Amino acid sequence: MEKAVKSRGHVILQVAVVLFACVLLWWKWMSVGENADGSGLGTLEAQGTARNERSTPRSFILPATPGIAFEQERQKSERAQVALLAECVRSLKDLGYQLSSSDGYGSVKLVEAIYEFQVKHNLPATGQLDEATKMAMKCS
């Protein structure tokens, strides 16, 4: 009989603990969506902020798939190449070569200017921005 009373006491204690945990979780869940004024507009979207920028830096957040990661790396590399090209075009303009702002990579004027620079500095005359040309222009 004493053993049955002990096991019944344990069951009652376990039920009480589970009920207390459920009430605590329910209270926490209900309070998450409330503002300090009790308006219930506690979500980030309702407050006008999409993300806490101080929590995890965006650079630490991994992309969803490897394809997205590769695309992000490709775009980053492309931006770096465009910046390098702009720096080299600026160097050519500073050296006196006539280039307009619309002369992009592959334009005839840019290729001619690079070719003339290579010939003038005894570099292999290819008209391309190779490493030796970049180093001579000091734009690498």
Side-chain angles (χ1 to χ4, degrees), residues 2 13 17 26 28 33 47 49 62 66 69-70 77 97 99 125-126:
E2 189 178 311
L13 181 63
V17 168
W26 176 79
K28 183 68 175 169
Q47 293 173 2
T49 59
L62 297 175
F70 291 137
S77 173
Y97 293 93
L99 296 169
T126 62

Side-chain angles (χ1 to χ4, degrees), residues 5 8 12 21 41 48 54 71 79 81-82 84-85 87-88 91 96 103 118 128-131 135:
V5 171
R8 187 177 296 157
I12 292 172
L41 299 175
R54 291 176 282 167
E71 178 62 20
R79 285 190 300 268
Q81 289 175 353
V82 167
L84 177 65
L85 178 64
E87 185 179 338
C88 290
S91 291
D103 291 331
Q118 290 169 334
Q128 301 290 322
L129 274 175
D130 55 6
E131 289 302 316
M135 287 177 53

Side-chain angles (χ1 to χ4, degrees), residues 63-84:
T65 64
I68 292 173
F70 291 137
E71 178 62 20
Q72 288 173 344
E73 287 299 316
R74 187 193 64 76
Q75 289 176 359
K76 184 178 177 182
S77 173
E78 190 175 293
R79 285 190 300 268
Q81 289 175 353
V82 167
L84 177 65

Side-chain angles (χ1 to χ4, degrees), residues 17-96:
V17 168
V18 169
L19 284 174
F20 179 73
C22 289
V23 168
L24 187 62
L25 286 172
W26 176 79
W27 176 77
K28 183 68 175 169
W29 180 68
M30 294 302 288
S31 66
V32 166
E34 291 184 8
N35 245 350
D37 61 357
S39 65
L41 299 175
T43 62
L44 289 175
E45 290 81 15
Q47 293 173 2
T49 59
R51 182 178 187 282
N52 180 1
E53 293 295 334
R54 291 176 282 167
S55 61
T56 303
R58 289 187 186 271
S59 60
F60 291 165
I61 298 174
L62 297 175
T65 64
I68 292 173
F70 291 137
E71 178 62 20
Q72 288 173 344
E73 287 299 316
R74 187 193 64 76
Q75 289 176 359
K76 184 178 177 182
S77 173
E78 190 175 293
R79 285 190 300 268
Q81 289 175 353
V82 167
L84 177 65
L85 178 64
E87 185 179 338
C88 290
V89 168
R90 220 172 305 124
S91 291
L92 283 171
K93 285 181 181 179
D94 291 344
L95 292 170

